[in-house]
Amino acid sequence: MSRAMQCHSCLPWGSWARLPRSLPGTRGTRSVSVCAAAVPGGAGRRFLRRILCTSSISLPRGCAHYQGDSQEKPAQPSSSRHGQSQLRNVAFSGAIKKHQKSLSAWFSHQPNEERQFGPSFSLDAVHVDPVIRESSLEEVLKPSPDLTIQNQLQQPSRKVISLHNLFDVDACGRQVKNVVLYGTVGTGKSTLIKKMVVDWCHGRLPRFQLVIPFSCEDLSHSHAHVSLRRLITKKYQHLRDVVPVLEASNLSVLFILNGLERLSLDFRLAGTELCCDPNEPVPPSAIVVNLLRKYLLPEASIIVTTRPSAVRRIPGKYVGRYAEICGFSDTNLQKLYFQMRLSQPGCSGEESQDRRSAEQENLVEMLSRNLERHNQITAACFLPSYCWLVCTTLHFLYFTRTVPPSQTLTGIYTSFLRLNFSGEVLDSTDPTHISMMKYVAKTVGKLAYEGVMSRKTCFSEEDLRQCFEVEMKTESELNLLEVFRSDVFRFFLSPCVQPGKEHTFVFTIPAMQEYLAALYVVLGEKKTLVQRVGKELSEVLGKVSEDVAVVVNIISKVLPLRFLPVLFNLLKIFPRYFSRVGGKDRDTIAHTMAEELFKEEDYYNDDVLDQINSSILGVEGPMRHPDETPDDEVFELFPIFMGGILSRRNRAILEQLGCSIKNLAAFEIAKAMKKTVIRKGRRGLPPSELMDYLFFLHEFQNERFTAEAILSLRAVNLSSVKMTPLKCSVLASVMSTTCHEVDELNLTSCNLDSGSLRTLFPVLLRCKALHLQLNSLGSDACKEIRDLLLHDKCVVSSLRLTNNPVGEQGARYLAEALAGNRSLRQLSLLHTALGDPGAEAIAQHLAQNQHLQELNLGYNSLTDTAALRVVEVAKRHETLDKVHLYFNDISEDGKRALDSLRMDRDGVRALVFLTAGTDVSDYWSHILNVVQRNLPFWDRERVQQHLTLLLQDLESSRSQTANPWRKAKFLRVESEVKKMLGKLQDGSL
C-alpha cells in the first residue's frame, strides 16, 4: 500500500482546511530561560552538522536559568548521585569536560544571517522557550478539524511539558528512554536541541553525564559500514577513552538525533539485523534503529527531532513519549521575545543611549498593541522563526545607518528561507529528491502569483485545490503533496482572522506572498502548455540529434549516403528555434516587472518601506468597521522582489536551496529591462513611487544598470516622503553609482535631521537646487550644511531652508558658509526664527560673499535696525540685488527708508510690502503666493495681523495717487488680500 494511502494524518483530498494540529489555541504554561540563541530552523541543523568535526574551544559561562509561572515538576535525575560518584572514580572525567567545552564553543557560533541582520542573541542573552505539549502517536495520525482560529481555541488542552522534563516517568510510572520531539517547519526544533546541549555544557542538565548529538543529515550521507564506537570517536575525538566503557560505566548518556526525516529507517528484522555490539560495523541507519530498539546500549536515553510526516517511521512501541513543539501560542511569549530581542545592546547602532532606548521602547509598545488587536501578525508569530523575521525587518527599517550590498530586503527574506530550509529535500524517500524550496516555488509560488495578478490575499479551498492538486498524475506527486501538507503548509499559509473569512487562508507574512510570486516568475515556472511541451521536446530532440548525427557522419564516410547528414541536421533546427523563443520569456519577465513597478493606480500609495512598517506595527487610529469596504490590495513589493532575486548574492543562496537561476538568464533579463524599466523610469514619478523605484534599483544590486537608470534622472522629487535613515542610505547608495550633477533635489517635509544630512552629504554636493523646507533642521543640521557649502566640490546654487528652526546659532553657521561659498546664488531663510541676532550674523559675513544674488529673510521677527543693517550691506554687495523682508516687525519709518531704495541707484531691491511708494509692487503676487503656500505652517493670528497691515498700507497708498490705472491695480490687490483674510477668518484656508 502506498504511503499516501497509509497516512491517516493527512487530509481527505477534498478538503484543504483539515491539517495536523500543531498551532495550539489555548494558553498554557510557559517558561523563560536565560541562555541559548534563538536561531530559526535550518541554522540549528547546520550547527549540529558542524559540531561533528569540532575541536576543543573554551567559552566563558555567564548564564542563568529562570523558570517562571510553571506548573511542571522539576527535573528528577534518577542516577545523578550514582553517576557523579562513578565519575569521580573514572579517569576520563577530563575528557567529558573537554567535550563540553567543544560543544559549547560550536553551539555558540551564530550563522551569518544572525550576525548580518542586526544584533543577535548570545549564550548570556535571553531565550524564550516555545510551548511543548505532550502528544501521542494517535494524535499525530488522526485527522484534524478545520484549521480555523475558532476551532483551535476549542481544542482540549494537552499537558504542557518543559524541555528538561521530557524524560520524566510517564503516566504509568515507567521511565521514559526514547522521546520523539516533532514540529512543523519553523517551530524551533533545532533551536531547542541547541539549547538542550548548551544547558548540559553549562551544568543545567544534571540528569545526564554525557550528551552525544548527531545530525541525521550527515548520517544519511555516510554509506560505509561503521561501528557505534568508531562513529562517536570519529566525530568527537575527546571521547575516545570514554566510548570503550560506555556500557560498563553506568553513565547516564543522552543521544540526540536531529532531523530524523533525513534518514530512511527499516525496523523490520529482515531489513535491519539486530546488533548489540558497539564495535560491530553496520550501516549508520542500522545503528540508529538498534539504539531505538534498545538492543544497543539499552540504558542510553535518546531524543529524536523530526517533522510530523516522519513520526510514523519509528514504531510506537519504541517511543516512550511524543512531544509536539507548538511555538509561541501565547501572545505573552511573543511580546516577551520582541521585548528582549529589540532591547539588545547595539540594536540601534551608534545612536545616543537615551534616544536608542526611547525608540526601542516605542517599537516594542507599538508591536505589543498590534499583537493585542489579534491581528494577522499574531497568528503568524506563533512560529518563532517568523518572530525572528519581524525583528530583523524592524532592525532593517529603523536602525540601518548604511546599507552594504549584503543588506537588502530581498536578502533578508532569502536568508530567512535558507535558515529554515537549508537545502532540505521535501521527502528523503522520494526518488526525485526535489528540494523543499523548489517544491514551494512551483506550488505555493503559483498560488502567490495568481493572487498578485488578481489582487487577492485570501484564498479558498478551491483556490488551493487548483494550484496543488489539478496536475497530480503519479503516486510520487501525491506522496509529496501529503508531506508538504503535513510539514510545510502552515509555514506559508494560515487561517484568516478577519470576521467572515475564517475558512479562507492568507499568507502568514503578507510580503511572503509577493516574494514567492516573484520567485515563481523569475524561475520561469510561469509557462504556457505550449512552452512546457516545447522545452521538453527541444531537449529530447537536441540530445537525439547530436547522437544520431555522430553515427551518420561515421557511416557516410563508408557508404554513399551523403543526404542523411542533411536530414539529421534539420533536427537541430528545432532546439535552436526554441532557444530563440525561450529568449522571449526573458522579455516577458522584464515586461511584467516594468508593468508592476509603474502601475498608475499605485502611484499615490505610501512607499513600500512604509507599507512594510504598517503591516508589522499596525496603523494607529480607530479600527475599521467589519462592514466597511476594504481598500484595494497593493502588491508593490512584487516587482522589487523580482529585481532583488536576480542579484548575484540572492541567486547564490537560492542555488543552495535548489532553485537555480543561471547567470545567462539574469543577464538577458537585465538586458531586456533596459528597454522597459529605464524607459518608464525617465518620466515624472510621484515622490512615493520614485522612492520605490530607487529602492528597486538598490535591491537589484546591478551597478551598471543602476548607473544608467540614475543618469536619466535630472530632478529627484521626494517631498513628503518620510526619509528614515534606511531611505537616506538607499538614496545615497543608488546615487553614488554616478557622478553627474543633479538639477534639483526636493526633500521638503521629509523628517530630515543632522544624521540624514551626513548620510546624504555626497549626494547633496552634486545638487544645484536643494529644497530642505519643513524638516525641523536646527543648529546641528546647519553645521552640516556649513560643511557642505564650504566643500570644494559643492555645486549648490539654490538652497531653501524655509520653515526650519535655524535660530541664532544656526544662522552663525550659515553665515560662515556664505563667507567661503562660491556656488550659492539663492538662499531662502523664510520663517527660520533668526531674530535680530541671526540677521546681524548674516550681515557680518555677507560682505565676504561674491556670488549671492537673492536672500530671503522674511517672517523672522526682524526690527528696523536688523533689516536696515542687512540692506546696507546688500547695497555694497556686487551681485546681491534682491532681499525679502516681508512679514517682519518693521515700522513705518523703516518702511519709508526701505521704500526709498532704487534698483538703478542702490543696486538692491527690498521686498517688504505689497506697495512701492504710490504704486503696487511688482512682487505683490509673489508675496501673496508665499503666504498662501506656507499658511499651514505659520501662526494664523500673526499672519492675519500682517495681512491687515498690508491691507491698510494698500488703502493708504491708493488714497495718495490720482492715477486711475494705479487705483485699479490697488483695488485688485486689495480684493486678493481681503479674500485671503476672509478665508482665514472662516477657517477655509
Side-chain angles (χ1 to χ4, degrees), residues 52-267:
L52 302 181
C53 56
T54 182
S55 60
S56 178
I57 303 175
S58 63
L59 187 77
R61 292 164 53 184
C63 304
H65 185 74
Y66 166 69
Q67 192 82 16
D69 191 24
S70 178
Q71 299 174 0
E72 295 116 359
K73 296 181 295 183
Q76 300 175 353
S78 60
S79 58
S80 176
R81 293 182 180 178
H82 175 71
Q84 288 175 0
S85 60
Q86 181 81 8
L87 201 58
R88 284 193 295 267
N89 299 325
V90 178
F92 51 74
S93 60
I96 294 181
K97 290 181 179 179
K98 290 182 180 179
H99 179 59
Q100 287 178 323
K101 290 182 180 180
S102 177
L103 289 182
S104 176
W106 275 106
F107 277 90
S108 299
H109 289 175
Q110 299 292 344
N112 292 332
E113 292 82 0
E114 183 74 8
R115 297 191 301 269
Q116 177 182 343
F117 300 111
S120 59
F121 285 142
S122 57
L123 288 178
D124 57 352
V126 179
H127 171 83
V128 181
D129 284 336
V131 173
I132 305 175
R133 296 186 186 276
E134 193 163 2
S135 183
S136 64
L137 185 60
E138 293 75 16
E139 190 76 25
V140 178
L141 296 180
K142 73 178 182 181
S144 289
D146 292 349
L147 183 61
T148 62
I149 297 298
Q150 286 74 14
N151 282 339
Q152 293 295 331
L153 292 174
Q154 295 170 5
Q155 288 184 27
S157 176
R158 290 174 290 162
K159 178 184 176 183
V160 176
I161 187 169
S162 72
L163 185 65
H164 291 185
N165 298 126
L166 289 175
F167 290 93
D168 287 353
V169 295
D170 61 13
C172 300
R174 292 172 299 191
Q175 184 63 46
V176 173
K177 288 294 185 180
N178 291 352
V179 174
V180 172
L181 186 65
Y182 69 93
T184 57
V185 174
T187 50
K189 299 183 295 295
S190 297
T191 302
L192 275 180
I193 291 304
K194 179 183 176 183
K195 177 183 182 302
M196 175 177 273
V197 173
V198 172
D199 280 353
W200 176 74
C201 292
H202 291 168
R204 294 192 295 269
L205 196 63
R207 182 190 297 271
F208 303 106
Q209 281 79 52
L210 180 61
V211 172
I212 304 176
F214 283 113
S215 166
C216 291
E217 181 184 7
D218 285 343
L219 295 179
S220 68
H221 294 158
S222 176
H223 303 292
H225 287 211
V226 63
S227 66
L228 175 60
R229 176 178 177 178
R230 174 59 183 152
L231 184 63
I232 296 174
T233 55
K234 180 181 177 182
K235 306 301 181 183
Y236 306 106
Q237 296 182 8
H238 300 303
L239 300 180
R240 59 181 177 271
D241 296 329
V242 180
V243 173
V245 291
L246 274 182
E247 281 188 294
S249 63
N250 287 327
L251 278 176
S252 180
V253 181
L254 172 65
F255 286 95
I256 298 177
L257 302 173
N258 189 48
L260 186 74
E261 66 274 359
R262 302 294 190 94
L263 279 176
S264 296
L265 303 180
D266 189 351
F267 280 82

Side-chain angles (χ1 to χ4, degrees), residues 435-456:
S435 75
M436 197 180 297
M437 197 61 229
K438 180 69 173 179
Y439 187 88
V440 167
K442 293 170 63 114
T443 54
V444 186
K446 180 182 178 183
L447 179 72
Y449 173 75
E450 292 181 356
V452 169
M453 291 296 101
S454 58
R455 316 282 283 191
K456 182 170 65 173

